[in-house]
Amino acid sequence: MDVAARHRRVVVPWPSEEATPMDGEPESELVRQFRSLAGALEDSNEFHISARGCPLRVKYSPGSVSSLTLSAPYPARRAAPAHGPHSAYRDPAGTLVAIRPMKIKLRRETDEDRAARSRGVACEAQTGDPLFDDEVYIDSPSDVQTVLRTLASPELRAGVRALLAEGVEHVILDDKDGEISALLLHFTRATHDAHRANRMLDAFVGVALNAPCVITSSEQRPADTERALLIIGGILCGVLGSLGIAAYSLAAGQRCEFDSNPEASVLFSLDGCFTPAALGLMVGYLPGFLLGAAVSRRFRGRSDSHDRARSAHALTLILSVQLAIWLFAALLWLR
């Protein structure tokens, strides 16, 4: 039996059709399936399931952007291989020691990811498993050796692929809470599927049981200066954006009081309410775009460098336009 077939083995009873009535809402249907598997109450949004000795937590968050999260503790101590001697990939050269959390995020690979990798912007670990490497993008601050040893199990990789095929947004191995987690945001399915929860549970258990045990290293991950600068830039944009609107209105005074000042709405008069904003947008856009492009080129060599480059470009452009607006407001209104 091949890995894929072995991975799809049923591990818990499938819910009956009566337990998962079809009401036209895939989200409600899937949640009911998980509640049935857990034996949870109908209104429960967080419950636990034990499958093949693996304790899992299911958390459903309803709302305008609903989500369902599967999670399990990352293995904290050495255990026997999950599927017998053929799975003795664990620690082939001794116990794996790594900086934790490893934060290995696994999601569907996109054309943008492939383009960034081909340009040398993004640096992604490759497992040597063609199907996995073609379908799954590996994003992690951990070193390549740690990532590859964590993903060494064929059963783990098959489980990740199966979860992504079920619509899961991403799977994270050793997240900030020291857990293995899988996030589902898209519930829609074209047809009624009474066994989707069971397949997701089986796939997730395959991942959890085949994740190698890791001892936390005493070393610290190097400071991420790039990320710090992006956070500072984002905060600065937010502060200028939120406070800037109030300050702009205060500085404009009667220029933006359209009821008492008929000339206030004239865009290109020197005292027009929107004149600094319009001129700032026109004049600040091009240098901001060019400077942002130059700044973004400095982001290279990480698995998420293309995402960081895009953020840096956007932040630089926004800051350039904001500063240009304030410059024109000062030149036109403080004469």
Side-chain angles (χ1 to χ4, degrees):
M1 183 181 296
D2 61 18
V3 170
R6 182 170 60 246
H7 173 71
R8 291 183 175 85
R9 183 175 62 253
V10 178
V11 295
V12 292
W14 280 352
S16 67
E17 293 295 333
E18 289 75 14
T20 58
M22 181 62 174
D23 63 359
E25 293 291 339
E27 179 176 325
S28 300
E29 180 187 1
L30 181 62
V31 174
R32 278 196 299 268
Q33 290 178 24
F34 274 109
R35 286 174 181 152
S36 177
L37 290 172
L41 299 176
E42 290 186 3
D43 58 350
S44 299
N45 287 337
E46 184 170 349
F47 37 87
H48 296 79
I49 301 175
S50 180
R52 280 192 270 167
C54 179
L56 298 96
R57 184 177 73 252
V58 181
K59 182 177 181 181
Y60 171 57
S61 300
S64 56
V65 181
S66 300
S67 66
L68 187 142
T69 304
L70 302 177
S71 60
Y74 194 91
R77 59 187 177 84
R78 190 172 179 84
H83 295 293
H86 70 276
S87 290
Y89 69 92
R90 295 176 185 264
D91 313 326
T95 303
L96 174 59
V97 180
I99 299 173
R100 298 189 64 190
M102 296 183 291
K103 298 181 180 179
I104 302 175
K105 184 177 181 179
L106 307 167
R107 57 173 175 78
R108 279 199 171 278
E109 186 166 290
T110 65
D111 291 338
E112 183 182 2
D113 297 326
R114 298 183 186 96
R117 190 172 57 232
S118 66
R119 297 197 309 270
V121 175
C123 182
E124 182 205 11
Q126 298 289 285
T127 66
D129 179 342
L131 292 176
F132 185 88
D133 291 338
D134 287 346
E135 296 177 12
V136 182
Y137 192 79
I138 305 170
D139 181 8
S140 175
S142 297
D143 61 84
V144 174
Q145 291 78 11
T146 296
V147 171
L148 293 182
R149 290 187 64 184
T150 304
L151 299 176
S153 166
E155 287 80 9
L156 184 150
R157 297 195 301 270
V160 171
R161 291 179 58 217
L163 286 168
L164 295 180
E166 293 293 339
V168 166
E169 190 78 8
H170 60 244
V171 177
I172 301 180
L173 305 179
D174 195 22
D175 62 17
K176 61 183 179 63
D177 297 318
E179 294 185 327
I180 299 171
S181 61
L183 174 67
L184 179 71
L185 296 176
H186 305 289
F187 294 83
T188 304
R189 278 290 187 267
T191 59
H192 172 65
D193 188 344
H195 307 311
R196 186 182 180 193
N198 191 277
R199 293 195 307 270
M200 290 178 62
L201 180 63
D202 192 21
F204 188 82
V205 170
V207 173
L209 290 182
N210 288 282
C213 297
V214 178
I215 292 180
T216 303
S217 172
S218 59
E219 297 180 4
Q220 298 294 319
R221 190 167 282 122
D224 192 343
T225 305
E226 286 183 353
R227 184 171 182 272
L229 291 175
L230 289 174
I231 292 174
I232 292 172
I235 294 174
L236 185 58
C237 283
V239 170
L240 290 178
S242 58
L243 299 182
I245 294 176
Y248 186 95
S249 299
L250 181 64
Q254 293 185 349
R255 296 178 180 87
C256 291
E257 296 178 3
F258 302 112
D259 293 334
S260 61
N261 183 9
E263 299 297 322
S265 61
V266 178
L267 182 62
F268 286 107
S269 68
L270 294 181
D271 286 334
C273 174
F274 303 117
T275 303
L279 291 176
L281 180 60
M282 289 188 295
V283 174
Y285 183 86
L286 182 58
F289 182 86
L290 296 176
L291 181 60
V295 170
S296 65
R297 291 192 187 98
R298 301 183 65 85
F299 290 80
R300 306 176 70 87
R302 294 176 178 266
S303 56
D304 64 344
S305 287
H306 50 317
D307 294 327
R308 294 184 179 208
R310 183 171 55 251
S311 298
H313 197 166
L315 291 173
T316 304
L317 177 58
I318 293 171
L319 286 172
S320 175
V321 170
Q322 289 176 328
L323 293 175
I325 290 174
W326 275 106
L327 175 62
F328 278 107
L331 292 174
L332 296 176
W333 292 349
L334 300 180
R335 292 177 291 124

